Amino acid sequence: MATFNNFVLQLMLTITLILLAEAAKDRRAIPSEEEQKELERQLKAINKSAIKSFKTEQGEIYDCIDIHKQLAFDHHLLKDHNIQMKPTSVPKWITSKNISQKVDPLQLLPRGISCPDGTVIVKRTTMQDLLNVQHLKSIGFNSYRHGHTEGNNIDLTGHHFATVDYKYSTVSGVKGNINLWDLQVSQDQVSLATMAIAGGPIENLASISVGWMVNPLLYQDHVHLYTYWTADGYQKTGCYDIRCPGFVQVSKRIPLGVLLKPVSIYNGTQYQMELSLHQDRATGDWWFIFGGVNVGYWPKSLFIASGLAKGTDKASWGGQVYSPLTKKSPFMGSGHFPNEGFGKAAFINGIEIIDGKGEALIPQIYTIKTHKSSPNCYKAKFIHDDDDPWIRAVFYGGPGGCTGQLLSEESQGLKNLDKL
């Protein structure tokens, strides 16, 4: 009887703790009156007056906004900016082999969603979106982190990388075909595939990254197109997509943050999206192009005091995940290691750069280094054999399961190896 009573007592205590935890969670989700007013002010600033609006089956709302009244022009550096509808120069990329299906960016939105001329399509930000961003910050995920920042003063706690990195000479453009996977991650976790450029000193790093992300707090569910930029090492500038002024949207068909489909199947059909970033040689603006369609650009003036105003010397392709230290880290890529190969492991192929003269180049092998911050959980394999289906590519990813302690032990081991 005593044993049974102890069991009942433990059960009641457990239920009480769960209820208290849920109540605390609910209290955190309800902002104070002052916070509510601030969030409403932010929403009003972010969501511009729509000429036309659409709601998808997933509950996402897309607005058609006057191209001249979009959020970008709230930025103090863009008050007198003249919109460029297309780049004055477009790189002639090198044609590479393709053994997977390419996603058509113009087919991503449901039929019937069409914005009129003179407008751009923008995904509407909700009050819950802002609350979710606050929650992400509270658990330690402030923003995307570039792999080149590892080992420096920028906080990388909970972040894990598996990439190939270029750092050699001036880069004015990058390209890659990013394999699409739809992963399951918990509410507080992030998994992404990225292509990024960066420049300037580490403590004031400027970077732009594009790719796909699975992040329930930012994108509800499934895999979404994402972009991120910063001009000062993730301190005061930059954001995801168009959640702050900066990115100038020109497309009325491809919104940032859009749901991506179809996705790859393990040991089945593989899908990829063709993305590129390049600096317009006449204006210095950084253009984002998806499947040959101009989505928009980050004006040069955003980076005038940073390392991206005149090209850069750092680029990377691969995967990144984030998890609070209280949880084991999630899947990266397909959730399988690179040695499983095509159809099973995630990849980015067609890796190319634009040099300082504006010419497309396949990076030389000695200019690329593989970066695996947590090799027990995630790996990256650089493909550089001309006999392979792709001349330059990376297989990356893994099943996860890392903790903050494991990461610190591996990092210490890498530091010790450097001393040998």
Side-chain angles (χ1 to χ4, degrees):
M1 178 64 71
T3 302
F4 178 75
N5 289 338
N6 287 337
F7 170 76
V8 172
L9 179 61
Q10 289 176 355
L11 181 61
M12 291 178 66
L13 285 171
T14 301
I15 293 172
T16 301
L17 288 172
I18 292 172
L19 290 173
L20 287 172
E22 290 299 317
K25 186 189 295 184
D26 290 340
R27 285 195 297 271
R28 285 199 307 270
I30 301 174
S32 66
E33 185 176 345
E34 185 177 339
E35 290 172 335
Q36 179 82 16
K37 288 181 179 179
E38 173 57 23
L39 290 172
E40 289 173 353
R41 185 198 66 77
Q42 291 180 29
L43 272 184
K44 188 176 180 180
I46 293 172
N47 294 322
K48 301 302 182 183
S49 217
I51 293 173
K52 203 173 181 181
S53 297
F54 306 90
K55 189 173 184 178
T56 68
E57 292 181 357
Q58 291 77 25
E60 298 175 327
I61 298 176
Y62 291 96
D63 294 325
C64 301
I65 307 294
D66 185 325
I67 191 171
H68 297 282
K69 297 180 180 178
Q70 59 181 295
L71 180 62
F73 304 120
D74 285 0
H75 198 292
H76 69 281
L77 294 174
L78 303 180
K79 292 296 184 184
D80 300 317
H81 182 77
N82 292 319
I83 298 176
Q84 308 297 313
M85 292 306 298
K86 61 182 181 179
T88 62
S89 58
V90 179
K92 293 183 179 179
W93 299 104
I94 299 168
T95 303
S96 58
K97 296 178 182 178
N98 182 31
I99 57 175
S100 59
Q101 301 295 316
K102 286 190 177 181
V103 169
D104 183 351
L106 299 180
Q107 301 298 318
L108 291 174
L109 289 175
R111 289 184 178 180
I113 295 183
S114 177
C115 286
D117 291 341
T119 68
V120 293
I121 189 161
V122 173
K123 186 179 178 183
R124 186 183 298 180
T125 300
T126 67
M127 178 69 75
Q128 191 60 50
D129 290 336
L130 296 182
L131 290 171
N132 289 343
V133 169
Q134 285 187 350
H135 179 61
L136 276 172
K137 290 181 179 179
S138 73
I139 62 173
F141 184 79
N142 292 320
S143 64
Y144 165 85
R145 291 290 187 259
H146 196 282
H148 285 291
T149 60
E150 185 143 17
N152 297 281
N153 293 330
I154 295 176
D155 184 13
L156 290 169
T157 305
H159 293 260
H160 307 260
F161 303 87
T163 61
V164 293
D165 303 332
Y166 174 92
K167 190 179 186 303
Y168 185 67
S169 59
T170 300
V171 175
S172 61
V174 290
K175 178 180 174 291
N177 302 315
I178 304 180
N179 189 207
L180 290 175
W181 292 88
D182 193 5
L183 304 172
Q184 292 294 320
V185 305
S186 72
Q187 190 76 358
D188 294 342
Q189 295 180 324
V190 181
S191 186
L192 60 91
T194 185
M195 177 176 70
I197 55 169
I202 294 299
E203 64 277 4
N204 202 35
L205 191 78
S207 74
I208 299 173
S209 62
V210 298
W212 60 253
M213 178 182 289
V214 179
N215 182 339
L217 289 177
L218 280 181
Y219 298 115
Q220 297 180 16
D221 56 9
H222 301 297
V223 57
H224 288 250
L225 177 70
Y226 96 94
T227 67
Y228 190 90
W229 72 276
T230 181
D232 61 357
Y234 314 101
Q235 297 177 56
K236 295 181 179 179
T237 65
C239 62
Y240 287 100
D241 304 335
I242 55 160
R243 297 180 185 233
C244 68
F247 181 77
V248 177
Q249 175 94 6
V250 300
S251 174
K252 61 177 185 177
R253 296 286 303 278
I254 308 173
L256 300 186
V258 68
L259 178 70
L260 295 169
K261 56 185 179 180
V263 296
S264 301
I265 300 171
Y266 183 79
N267 208 22
T269 305
Q270 299 298 295
Y271 290 93
Q272 64 186 37
M273 57 179 179
E274 180 185 85
L275 304 183
S276 67
L277 289 169
H278 82 274
Q279 189 168 33
D280 190 304
R281 293 181 62 79
T283 64
D285 302 331
W286 284 93
W287 277 87
F288 175 38
I289 299 177
F290 183 170
V293 181
N294 299 324
V295 182
Y297 60 94
W298 290 269
K300 176 183 177 181
S301 55
L302 296 174
F303 308 103
I304 203 69
S306 70
L308 293 184
K310 297 181 180 179
T312 183
D313 64 349
K314 302 181 186 73
S316 67
W317 301 259
Q320 181 182 159
V321 299
Y322 170 82
S323 180
L325 299 185
T326 54
K327 295 182 179 180
K328 291 184 177 180
S329 60
F331 285 178
M332 178 192 291
S334 68
H336 294 263
F337 285 122
N339 60 358
E340 294 196 37
F342 181 78
K344 298 178 179 179
F347 63 83
I348 301 177
N349 68 24
I351 290 176
E352 297 177 39
I353 64 168
I354 299 296
D355 65 12
K357 298 178 181 178
E359 297 180 358
L361 297 176
I362 294 173
Q364 295 296 319
I365 296 173
Y366 63 85
T367 65
I368 297 286
K369 290 187 177 181
T370 303
H371 178 192
K372 297 167 284 187
S373 64
S374 308
N376 284 356
C377 299
Y378 312 103
K379 299 182 187 297
K381 180 181 179 182
F382 182 42
I383 303 299
H384 52 76
D385 190 337
D386 291 352
D387 293 331
D388 283 330
W390 313 304
I391 298 176
R392 298 289 185 271
V394 57
F395 282 108
Y396 70 93
C402 280
T403 64
Q405 182 63 30
L406 177 59
L407 178 61
S408 63
E409 288 172 358
E410 289 172 347
S411 297
Q412 187 60 46
L414 292 172
K415 289 178 182 177
N416 291 337
L417 285 173
D418 288 340
K419 294 177 182 178
L420 296 179

